[in-house]
Amino acid sequence: VIPYLGAGWAYVYTKPVADSFSFGGGFLTTCKLAKHLNLVLDLHAMILQDKWDDIRGGRHGEGIVDASLGLNYHF
């Protein structure tokens, strides 16, 4: 399991256009299935400013959570 953290800038190109400072982190893990085949799982969460969805409420921010599952084959 590999934990990671990061900061950056998020931008939406479609209307309503939005941009925001972002802070995120997650966990990346790999499980060996066969000699040349690995299963990869990445769990990630990102925190953005409240203006992200163009609806401002009493909150201090908004969040996005995602998961990716994939296979790596080593030639």
Side-chain angles (χ1 to χ4, degrees):
V1 175
I2 303 169
Y4 60 90
L5 295 172
W9 198 260
Y11 187 82
V12 175
Y13 294 97
T14 58
K15 293 193 180 198
V17 174
D19 62 333
S20 171
F21 177 76
S22 63
F23 180 77
F27 294 96
L28 177 67
T29 187
T30 302
C31 177
K32 191 172 190 98
L33 299 177
K35 184 177 179 181
H36 297 285
L37 187 65
N38 293 341
L39 179 68
V40 179
L41 174 63
D42 184 7
L43 303 173
H44 180 259
M46 184 168 52
I47 298 172
L48 305 153
Q49 294 173 341
D50 187 32
K51 65 180 182 176
W52 185 251
D53 64 359
D54 205 30
I55 300 171
R56 289 175 176 79
R59 300 173 297 191
H60 297 288
E62 302 186 23
I64 298 173
V65 176
D66 63 80
S68 298
L69 185 65
L71 294 172
N72 279 351
Y73 184 80
H74 300 274
F75 293 97

